[in-house]
Amino acid sequence: MKPRTRGAALVAAVLLLLPLVWALPSAAASADDAKPAVTLSQQEAAKGTEITASGTGWRPGTLLMLLLCGQSTPGQGVIGGTNSCANADGRAVTTDAKGAFSKALPVAAPPKPCPCVVHVATVTGEQAAVDTELRITGHPVAPLPEQSGTGRLSVLTAPELDGSSGILTWFGAPPSRTLVLTVGNLGSAPVKDPVFQVGTSHGVFAPRWEDRQWKGTIKPGGKAEVRLGFELSAGAHGDYQVSVRYGQKVLATQPWGVGRPWGVTLFWILLCVVVPAAVFRIGMAVVDRVRPRGAGHARRGRGEEGRARWIRPRRSVRGSAAEPSQPPQPPAEGASTPTSTTATTPLPWFTPDSAPIENRPNTPTTKGNP
């Protein structure tokens, strides 16, 4: 085979495989998005017979419960809960790896008149339920009662607090959490969009209640996971109690230990150190600027002048004392003695009349002369 022919065959094979590759993700997505469904081998059966219920789209390895219930329709569910079902003749089945099942179910007379359904619901894991209509031959039929009853919610699992604190909470931001709990409807009427009240209390203080509405419908005998968000005040810390109630009944209480916002404490410590230092620096700058400079210079000038007045005489004394470095020499014989009229500076402790004569001739005396 030529190289060009091989390349063309490879391109053709890739083009043929592309649709299959694109179809695989879509098939997986459609399998994940498939909703649980139930089909019956017969749409009408007599009491005492048996039918086969088959299902697809369920989670693999899930335990299911099959009940034949009266006073129910696929649109409104099982009115009155499992009290309307033939519980003694129910069956349990586990789905296979593909999420399918097939189970024989005896046709027993339910305690309530028809319309009737085959109710299939999960026992464990995520809640899911499917109702399929079934007509029972010979069983009385009555219109559905008006739903004048009230729903009665009860907590089925222990509540949990979901969420965590961030860096802003460390600096005093309001801490927030999400209260997660599973509730069940024990009443005879569905509960649609129930309004819960979440209360937070600290110490001996009473809870502060806030309304939180949950969107959804909880059918009689059904259950649902409820998530209610709430937050505390800014800077809150310590031991808190989180409560949730429906109507006037407290459903659950959960303790919550809130950490101290140490960032706020660090901020105040820095503030107490920085502000006094800044005030001191500003005060010193103001004092240096408004301090008078003329008086200081005048005092400095008078001091220097006084020091000069007392120092000058000492300098003159030192100078006059240093002038006669050599003793005076007697004049030579026959030479005329020049008349010296050098003026002397009197010392401060002598008057001009009493000052000693410095240029007195020092004539040598001969031995024997008086």
Side-chain angles (χ1 to χ4, degrees):
M1 184 181 293
K2 296 182 179 180
R4 293 183 178 179
T5 307
R6 293 178 181 176
L10 182 61
V11 171
V14 171
L15 293 177
L16 291 175
L17 291 176
L18 281 178
L20 297 178
V21 174
W22 291 340
L24 289 176
S26 60
S30 61
D32 294 338
D33 297 339
K35 295 182 179 180
V38 176
T39 57
L40 303 178
S41 59
Q42 301 177 17
Q43 297 298 324
E44 183 176 359
K47 291 185 292 183
T49 60
E50 194 175 71
I51 60 173
T52 302
S54 303
T56 56
W58 298 83
R59 288 184 293 108
T62 303
L63 180 62
L64 303 179
M65 176 184 61
L66 286 72
L67 294 174
L68 202 158
C69 306
Q71 196 173 280
S72 307
T73 60
Q76 297 186 6
V78 180
I79 300 176
T82 55
N83 293 330
S84 303
C85 304
N87 297 317
D89 296 315
R91 294 291 184 270
V93 64
T94 302
T95 58
D96 57 13
K98 297 181 180 179
F101 72 91
S102 179
K103 186 68 174 180
L105 178 67
V107 180
K112 299 292 182 179
C114 286
C116 301
V117 297
V118 174
H119 179 72
V120 181
T122 57
V123 178
T124 59
E126 185 179 356
Q127 181 183 9
V130 175
D131 296 326
T132 305
E133 185 177 2
L134 175 66
R135 295 187 297 272
I136 301 177
T137 305
H139 193 68
V141 178
L144 295 177
E146 296 182 0
Q147 297 181 6
S148 57
T150 58
R152 185 163 56 93
L153 299 182
S154 178
V155 175
L156 303 180
T157 59
E160 298 179 358
L161 294 177
D162 188 16
S164 60
S165 301
I167 187 66
L168 295 180
T169 306
W170 200 69
F171 283 95
S176 60
R177 290 291 186 274
T178 300
L179 184 63
V180 182
L181 66 160
T182 302
V183 298
N185 186 3
L186 304 181
S188 59
V191 179
K192 183 178 181 181
D193 299 338
V195 177
F196 297 91
Q197 290 181 321
V198 179
T200 56
S201 60
H202 180 57
V204 297
F205 297 98
R208 185 185 63 180
W209 300 99
E210 295 181 358
D211 294 341
R212 294 290 184 271
Q213 186 176 18
W214 181 77
K215 295 293 185 179
T217 302
I218 305 176
K219 298 179 181 180
K223 61 181 180 179
E225 183 183 69
V226 178
R227 304 177 66 89
L228 306 173
F230 67 95
E231 68 177 14
L232 303 178
S233 58
H237 62 277
D239 296 330
Y240 280 79
Q241 288 287 118
V242 183
S243 304
V244 57
R245 70 181 182 183
Y246 178 72
Q248 298 298 325
K249 179 183 178 182
V250 177
L251 300 180
T253 302
Q254 178 71 16
W256 181 23
V258 185
R260 181 182 294 273
W262 293 107
V264 178
T265 305
L266 179 62
F267 170 77
W268 283 112
I269 292 175
L270 294 178
L271 189 65
C272 293
V273 173
V274 172
V275 170
V279 171
F280 176 76
R281 295 293 300 273
I282 293 173
M284 293 300 296
V286 171
V287 169
D288 185 67
R289 183 171 294 275
V290 302
R291 181 177 58 185
R293 299 183 181 274
H297 290 298
R299 289 194 298 271
R300 192 181 302 112
R302 287 197 297 271
E304 293 177 356
E305 183 180 354
R307 286 195 298 272
R309 185 170 63 251
W310 287 100
I311 292 174
R312 285 170 189 168
R314 295 181 181 179
R315 289 179 179 176
S316 61
V317 170
R318 292 177 182 175
S320 61
E323 285 178 1
S325 59
Q326 295 181 0
Q329 299 295 332
E333 295 181 358
S336 60
T337 301
T339 303
S340 176
T341 61
T342 305
T344 60
T345 302
L347 294 174
W349 53 83
F350 293 106
T351 61
D353 296 337
S354 63
I357 301 174
E358 297 179 1
N359 297 329
R360 179 178 296 178
N362 186 13
T363 56
T365 58
T366 59
K367 185 175 183 182
N369 292 337

